[in-house]
Amino acid sequence: MTTPTPHPRTASRRRAMPTAALAATAATLALTLGGLSPAAAAPPTASPHAAPVDLGREVLPAGDGWASWSGTTRPEGVPRTAEPVTGGADAAPAEVYVVSDWPQLRDALAGRPGGSQNDARYNQTPRIVYVTGTIDPWERADGTRMTCDDIAGTVTVAGGGAFAMADYIAAFGPGIDPSGPLEAARVEAAAVQARATLQHIGSNVTLVGVGDDARIVGASLRIRDAHNVIVRNLTLSDAYDCFPQWDANDAGGNWNSAYDNLSVWTSTSVWIDHNTFDDGAHPPLSLERVYGRPFEVHDGFVDITHGADLVTMSWNWLQNHDKTDLIGSSDSRTQDRGQHRVTQHHNRWTDIGQRAPRVRYGDVHVYNNLYEQTALSLQESTPGVPFFQYYWGAGRESSIVAEGNAIELADASTVDRIIAGWGGTELSASDTLVDGEPVDVLAAYNQTAATPLNATTRWRPADAYAYALTPVDEVAGVVRAGAGAGVLDSGTPVATAAPGAFAVSDDNGWDTGLRDGDFTVRGDLWWGQNATVAKLFENGVLIDAAALSAATPAAQQVAFDVRARGNGTYRYEIVALNPYGVTTSRTHVVTVTDAAPGVAVLRASGVWANDVTVTMDLWWGQNATEYVLWKDGVEIDRHALTAATPGAQHAQTHVGALTPGTHVFTAVLRGPGGETATSPREVTVD
């Protein structure tokens, strides 16, 4: 038994591959794609030469499924007001990120460097996170790769040495549920992997891939306890579980994995659009058999559970996977009644085993999807058990409305398996094409079903949102042309690549001649691609950000006001970004020497008459905003001053009669950049 290291496949543009080659290739799938797809349910009309669209600022179109619905939802019984999905479209410039590796992704979703999973899970600040290239949590900073054995080696078995999955397998077997120290060690190793490869997505987020090669490989993304989330234009691949659990009581025994490519838990108002889901280098037929069952290292592609609600899945491509899409996790979760409302339209399902979707409790609308099979669907990962099980699973208290779907079967005799009953009582299926011909698939199911399904459902999609059906005879062509990641011309009309670097300057001392801590840091992008956002970092800390207007082919300028810096040296970088990437300027140093008020002079008058007045004069330097006077260490006067740098400042305090002896007066001038004390002034009264 081996535990291979998850690894990304080489990303490339989609190429045509003959069906015969697909039948012979179990490890990969690549079917012909081309053209563009719209965001709503209509055939593609955009030109291949259209300017790239900034998907980070796009919102869900009106009427686009349950995610466009407004009203009250109750995940886990807690009322929440839902609005149509906008994701991070309202993100401030400082909350726009471009990420190209796993630590950057985690920091962006957390909203701060080194942020925790709880930071990411509960963060509600609107954010846009652009993904470029391949992001892989198994890749270390030095370019080497973490392995399953590396993780196992960090765990010690009670009373023994380091944990190994091979020892676990050797210790148990068919009919035996694992327990004891080895099972405890497996659970601990699984927790170590989860900390390394599971990533939460919080509320008001748009997570979007840029171009046709944006991928997250070997990770599990989880939208949990969140609302208003968009995930678009990403290939989410191979959420590999190093330590699946053997369950001897699951249908005679099965290996159960913990990770979905994308899961939605207790979350509402989610749009999942134009993504590709696959198993990467570990498709079903590549899995070893242990205890006579596939050593299953994957769970679902997209699971929507734990009371999640108001989800639209559109224009996604789900490839060569067994348990693909679960809506509702358990029959016993009666609190999910009224939840799990999901729309699935214009998705492409290729050679999947089951769950497209399998539903518990939810009102689910399945329309204008393409379900296609090649010879891969006829292969058996377990001898004697067909790989293809069913598409639409009617589970407990579910209500599926299926309209205008196209189905292409490798074995036409399996038409009665398009639908499966899992305790449900109703399902409506209308205008379904099977291999190009209209077929009443519900009637085909009911002919052999022990418990037939009622064709009358408890709800009508049109009562919840407006939608337009693509004619069913056009669905296959439209969906093949438009579904999946890399189809949309994503990026920005402002540029075609990462921005150029800003030249940084400042005007410290230009206004008053004093390097006083109030200045402007200016950036000029003289050459290269334009940026959409500029961020100012001071000594490595983000202090300001600005959205930029396109100026191509002219230069771009940005200016940041910096105020109230104390004396010292400050290092500034301006980070330019657009969806394609990030560019950092050279470091620019600003030295502040005159931030604190200048040195004032104290004078005392009226001493001979013992009617003393103390006068402060500041002739040169930074003005103060406050004046404080002490006599013999006790404060006797304080008042505000009006700054007029480089003009002089003057203040006076009438002290009056003093007791005989020597008295010491001191004053402090304070301003935003610090404070300065005067020299003591002694006054002697006889």
Side-chain angles (χ1 to χ4, degrees):
M1 174 65 205
T2 59
T3 52
T5 306
H7 63 278
R9 293 186 296 180
T10 301
S12 64
R13 285 191 175 269
R14 301 176 184 179
R15 303 180 300 276
M17 181 178 287
T19 302
L22 281 169
T25 304
T28 60
L29 280 175
L31 301 179
T32 303
L33 273 184
L36 302 171
S37 69
T45 58
S47 163
H49 304 292
V53 175
D54 186 347
L55 301 183
R57 297 292 180 180
E58 283 200 334
V59 302
L60 179 73
D64 196 343
W66 273 118
S68 68
W69 186 82
S70 298
T72 301
T73 175
R74 293 177 174 82
E76 300 295 78
V78 179
R80 180 186 297 174
T81 299
E83 298 290 344
V85 174
T86 59
D90 293 332
E95 299 297 338
V96 178
Y97 305 87
V98 180
V99 300
S100 58
D101 62 33
W102 184 245
Q104 291 174 359
L105 176 64
R106 302 196 108 174
D107 288 350
L109 291 172
R112 66 182 182 88
S116 69
Q117 288 300 297
N118 276 343
D119 289 332
R121 181 173 166 185
Y122 298 114
N123 192 339
Q124 300 198 32
T125 303
R127 279 154 293 145
I128 299 172
V129 182
Y130 298 100
V131 174
T132 63
T134 296
I135 290 181
D136 177 8
W138 299 84
E139 184 175 348
R140 299 185 178 102
D142 63 2
T144 61
R145 298 188 56 73
M146 179 174 64
T147 69
C148 296
D149 289 340
D150 290 336
I151 295 174
T154 67
V155 176
T156 301
V157 181
F163 174 69
M165 200 66 187
D167 295 339
Y168 177 92
I169 291 168
F172 306 107
I176 304 173
D177 268 333
S179 61
L182 278 170
E183 170 61 6
R186 186 202 65 81
V187 171
E188 185 179 348
V192 174
Q193 180 184 347
R195 288 193 291 272
T197 66
L198 176 66
Q199 177 59 48
H200 284 93
I201 302 173
S203 300
N204 304 313
V205 169
T206 293
L207 177 65
V208 59
V210 179
D212 63 1
D213 63 349
R215 305 167 60 84
I216 299 176
V217 179
S220 178
L221 302 182
R222 181 171 294 168
I223 304 168
R224 185 173 182 183
D225 302 321
H227 64 274
N228 190 31
V229 179
I230 296 173
V231 179
R232 300 184 76 190
N233 199 46
L234 285 166
T235 293
L236 302 178
S237 183
D238 199 11
Y240 188 99
D241 188 349
C242 291
F243 311 106
Q245 181 182 36
W246 173 249
D247 185 347
N249 299 307
D250 180 2
N254 271 311
W255 292 96
N256 292 321
S257 175
Y259 304 118
D260 305 316
N261 289 23
L262 178 66
S263 59
V264 184
W265 285 25
T266 325
S267 295
T268 58
S269 303
V270 178
W271 184 26
I272 303 166
D273 176 71
H274 277 99
N275 302 291
T276 295
F277 298 87
D278 65 39
D279 285 341
H282 305 101
L285 289 180
S286 73
L287 302 179
E288 297 183 63
R289 287 196 297 275
V290 178
Y291 307 157
R293 303 294 295 171
F295 187 73
E296 184 57 76
V297 294
H298 301 119
D299 194 7
F301 270 166
V302 184
D303 281 5
I304 300 166
T305 60
H306 297 78
D309 198 19
L310 306 175
V311 179
T312 295
M313 289 176 56
S314 56
W315 300 97
N316 300 291
W317 190 7
L318 304 96
Q319 305 175 1
N320 194 208
H321 185 84
D322 184 16
K323 298 177 181 179
T324 308
D325 177 36
L326 180 67
I327 301 174
S329 56
S330 171
D331 286 356
S332 64
R333 285 183 55 88
T334 55
Q335 68 265 41
D336 292 342
R337 288 174 175 145
Q339 300 295 112
H340 296 165
R341 291 172 288 182
V342 178
T343 300
Q344 296 180 340
H345 72 82
H346 295 88
N347 299 290
R348 183 179 183 182
W349 312 74
T350 303
D351 289 321
I352 64 106
Q354 56 186 304
R355 300 184 182 178
R358 187 217 198 280
V359 183
R360 294 180 175 96
Y361 296 106
D363 292 346
V364 176
H365 191 195
V366 177
Y367 75 89
N368 285 162
N369 298 284
L370 171 63
Y371 304 84
E372 60 185 1
Q373 296 180 352
T374 72
L376 278 180
S377 292
L378 302 178
Q379 304 298 312
E380 297 177 350
S381 53
T382 300
V385 179
F387 177 67
F388 172 63
Q389 297 293 306
Y390 66 90
Y391 287 131
W392 306 328
R396 182 177 181 180
E397 296 183 33
S398 66
S399 186
I400 299 173
V401 177
E403 300 181 278
N405 295 288
I407 300 173
E408 299 175 357
L409 297 175
D411 178 0
S413 68
T414 58
V415 66
D416 62 330
R417 289 178 17 216
I418 290 170
I419 297 171
W422 296 97
T425 60
E426 63 186 54
L427 183 149
S428 171
S430 61
D431 202 19
T432 307
L433 288 187
V434 178
D435 297 327
E437 299 295 330
V439 174
D440 187 341
V441 295
L442 181 59
Y445 168 78
N446 282 341
Q447 278 184 339
T448 59
T451 304
L453 294 170
N454 193 326
T456 302
T457 55
R458 65 188 177 221
W459 74 293
R460 295 175 64 252
D463 293 338
Y465 48 84
Y467 65 100
L469 288 168
T470 300
V472 69
D473 59 351
E474 299 176 13
V475 166
V478 166
V479 172
R480 283 195 179 100
V487 178
L488 298 173
D489 275 336
S490 60
T492 171
V494 173
T496 59
F502 278 97
V504 185
S505 59
D506 72 272
D507 64 358
N508 195 23
W510 289 15
D511 51 351
T512 64
L514 300 171
R515 302 183 66 82
D516 54 15
D518 290 341
F519 51 89
T520 297
V521 175
R522 176 187 174 95
D524 289 281
L525 201 163
W526 301 113
W527 184 254
Q529 300 281 327
N530 272 197
T532 56
V533 168
K535 297 183 179 183
L536 180 66
F537 287 80
E538 179 185 77
N539 297 335
V541 178
L542 177 66
I543 63 168
D544 205 352
L548 301 179
S549 299
T552 306
Q556 281 185 306
Q557 291 84 33
V558 65
F560 298 101
D561 289 332
V562 180
R563 295 291 177 263
R565 295 302 185 263
N567 290 344
T569 299
Y570 300 87
R571 301 169 64 85
Y572 293 97
E573 292 91 23
I574 295 180
V575 172
L577 59 85
N578 64 34
Y580 295 106
V582 177
T583 305
T584 301
S585 71
R586 293 181 178 178
T587 300
H588 179 75
V589 177
V590 176
T591 302
V592 177
T593 57
D594 306 307
V599 179
V601 175
L602 286 186
R603 293 181 296 112
S605 60
V607 176
W608 297 109
N610 199 13
D611 185 17
V612 177
T613 296
V614 176
T615 302
M616 180 279 297
D617 286 290
L618 176 63
W619 302 112
W620 178 252
Q622 180 71 259
N623 277 193
T625 56
E626 184 180 55
Y627 163 72
V628 183
L629 180 67
W630 280 269
K631 178 177 75 72
D632 300 330
V634 177
E635 182 181 322
I636 62 170
D637 193 16
R638 176 191 296 255
H639 56 263
L641 299 176
T642 299
T645 308
Q649 281 187 307
H650 174 83
Q652 135 178 332
T653 301
H654 179 242
V655 179
L658 298 173
T659 58
T662 299
H663 301 273
V664 179
F665 292 90
T666 56
V668 169
L669 274 67
R670 293 175 177 156
E675 64 179 42
T676 305
T678 66
S679 297
R681 177 70 177 182
E682 291 187 354
V683 174
T684 301
V685 176
D686 294 332

